[in-house]
Amino acid sequence: MSELTATTELGGLPTFLALDTVSVLDGTRRGASVQIDETYLDGQRTAIETIDAESRFERRLRSVDRTREIYDEVDIDIASFTEENLWDASRRYRELLQRLPETQYLKRAFPETCFVVPEWIRSPSEVTYGPRVYFFREDDAPDPESIIEANIEAVLEDTREAFDRYRGRLHGYPDCCLERFSSADRESDLGPEEASVEPIADYIDDDRLAAGPDPTVSITEIVSGLFETPDAYAFFVREFFPEPGCETARRRGIEVYETLSEVVSETLVQDHFRMNAGWNYVLARSLREVDPGRPAPGLLGREHLFSYLPLSVTSSLPRYREE
């Protein structure tokens, strides 16, 4: 895939998602996905407003806002958590998700197989839900209902770890990291997510993060010197928590890095890895909170906001045209 091909075939996708799917189309990873939630939708609007391009992206903003309206109004009522009820709710919910403007936009923007499924997450007190959109090559895409089936089984049997391993394999994560992550003792002083980001903790400025989103700050000020450690390459995608020091994860990350460097500027590739590392660090540190959440758009600097813009727009910004 050439730079021209990447920015035309994947140019409509949000930058972070386009860069994730390059390695899918290249065959380095099996699949990629994104959860459509408040953080994702807010990022789309905030990024466009930051570059003062509302008029240029008026139609895009209407699509995002309409998706947010529908997302906020959805209320799935399940009488009891039986297999039959969960399947019925999944099919009804998926019919709605397939009609979301954002789902339709992502399907048009990806050249091969793209579909949405409901994702159920069981906690001790409740079962939450939301849409997840998957991206695969046409010749290697699973049946959407097989993902739903695995998810429902995990909810009914309270085996979240098994579903995490299953979903991780769909994304092409190393088996060694998946096994360690799912078998880790979550009652220990340092959970598996926190242990995963410990090797990169010294490269991340907690004071900058504590100050909140600031579009005048660069990600290089928040995640500084990351590439001084080979562990940087293990963070080739957000929300994958590699085993500390895992050579398999590093090699996979180097493959992804080299693939991306062939199609976009290396500065953009490095920012992508910085973003993944910073995102995982923030998420890992928040998981012990009552209401953990993903990093707010712009928390990791202005390049974090740029990552929500379409790849065709981001790749034309001065920072990424200097090479």
Side-chain angles (χ1 to χ4, degrees):
M1 179 181 291
S2 66
E3 182 171 357
L4 178 61
T5 303
T7 54
T8 53
E9 287 196 4
L10 301 173
L13 289 176
T15 297
F16 75 89
L17 187 53
L19 298 182
D20 277 350
T21 59
V22 165
S23 57
V24 173
L25 296 179
D26 182 71
T28 304
R29 293 172 51 212
R30 183 181 181 187
S33 75
V34 64
Q35 189 174 43
I36 299 178
D37 59 7
E38 296 95 334
T39 301
Y40 171 89
L41 294 169
D42 288 348
Q44 307 298 312
R45 170 167 277 285
T46 305
I48 291 170
E49 290 173 343
T50 299
I51 63 170
D52 195 26
E54 292 99 320
S55 59
R56 177 181 171 189
F57 291 96
E58 183 179 355
R59 183 176 178 183
R60 176 81 181 110
L61 289 175
R62 285 201 305 269
S63 173
V64 168
D65 290 344
R66 180 56 183 152
T67 298
R68 181 62 184 268
E69 289 173 8
I70 297 171
Y71 179 91
D72 289 342
E73 291 171 358
V74 171
D75 183 17
I76 304 296
D77 184 23
I78 303 177
S80 61
F81 290 103
T82 65
E83 182 174 4
E84 180 180 0
N85 286 348
L86 280 170
W87 268 112
D88 178 63
S90 295
R91 286 172 175 144
R92 286 187 287 109
Y93 189 25
R94 186 165 185 247
E95 287 181 4
L96 171 65
L97 298 180
Q98 289 174 315
R99 298 195 299 270
L100 284 179
E102 189 64 15
T103 300
Q104 295 175 7
Y105 176 84
L106 294 175
K107 289 183 71 172
R108 290 193 302 270
F110 187 67
E112 298 206 24
T113 299
C114 172
F115 57 76
V116 63
V117 296
E119 185 168 74
W120 308 96
I121 301 174
R122 181 170 182 171
S123 70
S125 59
E126 62 180 345
V127 173
T128 58
Y129 52 86
R132 183 171 291 274
V133 181
Y134 282 89
F135 305 82
F136 296 96
R137 297 183 305 281
E138 289 182 3
D139 61 354
D140 199 20
D143 182 342
E145 291 212 345
S146 68
I147 300 177
I148 298 173
E149 181 178 16
N151 192 184
I152 289 175
E153 182 178 319
V155 170
L156 293 174
E157 298 182 7
D158 198 13
T159 53
R160 180 67 191 180
E161 292 81 5
F163 183 65
D164 285 341
R165 287 196 300 272
Y166 168 79
R167 195 177 67 181
R169 292 187 180 103
L170 291 180
H171 289 75
Y173 301 160
D175 282 340
C176 53
C177 294
L178 295 176
E179 292 298 333
R180 178 192 172 279
F181 183 83
S182 61
S183 62
D185 180 7
R186 293 187 172 274
E187 301 302 321
S188 65
D189 291 339
L190 202 63
E193 295 90 353
E194 291 173 287
S196 175
V197 301
E198 274 300 295
I200 60 168
D202 289 344
Y203 302 100
I204 297 175
D205 190 329
D206 287 308
D207 291 336
R208 290 279 191 182
L209 290 174
D214 183 349
T216 68
V217 174
S218 171
I219 192 170
T220 56
E221 299 172 67
I222 300 170
V223 184
S224 176
L226 180 67
F227 291 96
E228 294 173 7
T229 172
D231 291 306
Y233 297 97
F235 294 90
F236 55 86
V237 63
R238 63 182 65 183
E239 297 184 30
F240 161 59
F241 292 93
E243 181 179 4
C246 178
E247 189 59 33
T248 302
R250 290 174 183 168
R251 288 198 302 269
R252 185 71 50 82
I254 290 171
E255 286 183 72
V256 172
Y257 187 100
E258 291 175 345
T259 295
L260 289 175
S261 296
E262 293 175 359
V263 300
V264 296
S265 81
E266 190 166 9
T267 301
L268 180 53
V269 179
Q270 290 181 346
D271 282 353
H272 182 61
F273 274 73
R274 292 182 184 108
M275 202 87 57
N276 296 338
W279 180 283
N280 281 15
Y281 179 84
V282 172
L283 187 57
R285 292 296 174 92
S286 75
L287 288 177
R288 293 181 185 266
E289 298 175 4
V290 175
D291 186 22
R294 293 172 170 81
L299 181 64
L300 297 167
R302 57 179 171 268
E303 293 83 4
H304 184 191
L305 281 178
F306 295 163
S307 76
Y308 286 97
L309 294 169
L311 176 62
S312 60
V313 177
T314 303
S315 59
S316 68
L317 295 173
R319 175 170 175 81
Y320 305 124
R321 286 193 288 109
E322 294 175 354
E323 299 176 14

